[in-house]
């Protein structure tokens, strides 16, 4: 995977939040001009893809929040530690049970790329807790900014109840005013005392967070494509022909393989949109 880099300003802004926004300008520009943003607005979402995304997010947030809890006394973590307001793990556990049933812990997927993301968070928690600031900032402020939009699209596309089952992740009941909370969060983060060298590392880690997201969703894309191809193996239709004594039309899951692959293209764009909106929403909304 090619590294996504951003042109760094000649002088880094004094506020950390501004420095992060400057560092993600190039990514922001790329995200504004990609086709999947338009496809996402059309609501091209499948249950299979949505479940895979939510499963990956469960693993990521579990690691992030356990490491934040472990390091809550660290001077860089304490100011931005809001477990009651922000923690997503309890909500994701509800969503996992909704989608996978009571034995969901044994059922949910855990891709290699997601493991890599989780491993990075665990390593930071053990050795460089101050860099968790970058991951917390890009994830939580993105969730607060785009969460309600994503929730409504998912509910409409998947036929989910308006009461919130299956999409608890997107709701922040302890934050009645997201705009004011984001302002508080940025002010707390900007008040963290850190050297210029540490600030630069945090900015670089924000880029790493974005890259880990992209890699994770690229692998999910490959997995979804593989699953679709396996459903369209010609041998399956041939077996049905033999069993029925005459040629049978393709089932609904096998209708026009080319069309099926195309239908996954918007889905995969939606998956990446979830990642990018959560990651680069700092550029879109957190201003």
């Amino acid at each position: 995977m090619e590294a996504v880099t951003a042109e760094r300003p000649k002088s880094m802004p004094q506020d950390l939040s501004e420095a992060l926004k400057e560092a993600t300008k190039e990514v922001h520009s790329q995200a504004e001009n990609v086709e999947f943003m338009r496809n996402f607005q059309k609501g091209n979402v499948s249950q299979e893809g949505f479940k895979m995304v939510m499963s990956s997010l469960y693993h990521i947030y579990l690691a992030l929040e356990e490491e934040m809890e472990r390091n809550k006394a660290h001077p860089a973590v304490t100011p931005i530690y809001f477990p009651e307001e922000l923690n997503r793990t309890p909500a994701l556990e509800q969503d996992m049970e909704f989608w996978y049933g009571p034995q969901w812990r044994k059922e949910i997927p855990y891709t290699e790329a997601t493991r890599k993301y989780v491993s990075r968070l665990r390593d930071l928690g053990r050795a460089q807790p101050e860099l968790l600031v970058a991951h917390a900032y890009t994830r939580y402020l993105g969730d607060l900014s785009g969460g309600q939009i994503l929730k409504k699209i998912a509910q409409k596309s998947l036929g989910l109840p308006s009461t919130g089952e299956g999409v608890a992740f997107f709701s922040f009941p302890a934050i009645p005013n997201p705009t004011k909370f984001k302002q508080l969060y940025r002010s707390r983060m900007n008040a963290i005392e850190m050297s210029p060298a540490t600030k630069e590392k945090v900015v670089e880690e924000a880029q790493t967070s974005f890259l880990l997201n992209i890699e994770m969703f690229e692998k999910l894309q490959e997995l979804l494509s593989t699953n679709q191809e396996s459903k369209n193996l010609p041998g399956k239709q041939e077996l049905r022909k033999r069993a029925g004594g005459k040629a049978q039309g393709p089932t609904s899951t096998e209708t026009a393989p080319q069309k099926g692959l195309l239908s996954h293209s918007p889905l995969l764009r939606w998956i990446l949109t979830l990642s990018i909106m959560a990651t680069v929403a700092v550029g879109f909304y957190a201003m």
Side-chain angles (χ1 to χ4, degrees), residues 47-80:
Q47 180 172 307
E48 179 188 13
F50 188 75
K51 289 169 65 176
M52 291 176 67
V53 171
M54 300 304 283
S55 299
S56 293
L57 290 177
Y58 166 75
H59 292 298
I60 291 167
Y61 277 95
L62 177 64
L64 174 61
E65 289 167 3
E66 286 183 348
E67 295 307 322
M68 294 284 285
E69 167 68 21
R70 187 208 308 268
N71 293 282
K72 62 184 179 182
H74 190 282
V77 175
T78 300
I80 60 166

Side-chain angles (χ1 to χ4, degrees), residues 52-68 88-89 92 108-111 113-122 132 135-136 139-140 143 169 209 212-214 216-217 220 275 279:
M52 291 176 67
V53 171
M54 300 304 283
S55 299
S56 293
L57 290 177
Y58 166 75
H59 292 298
I60 291 167
Y61 277 95
L62 177 64
L64 174 61
E65 289 167 3
E66 286 183 348
E67 295 307 322
M68 294 284 285
R88 298 292 80 208
T89 301
L92 282 164
I108 61 174
Y110 195 4
T111 67
T114 303
R115 291 177 187 274
K116 180 179 178 181
Y117 197 149
V118 168
S119 178
R120 179 61 180 171
L121 294 170
R122 298 296 189 189
L132 291 172
H135 291 271
R139 294 226 66 96
Y140 288 127
D143 296 336
F169 166 76
S209 173
L212 287 169
N213 272 281
I214 292 297
M216 179 184 68
F217 289 111
L220 286 179
S275 170
T279 304

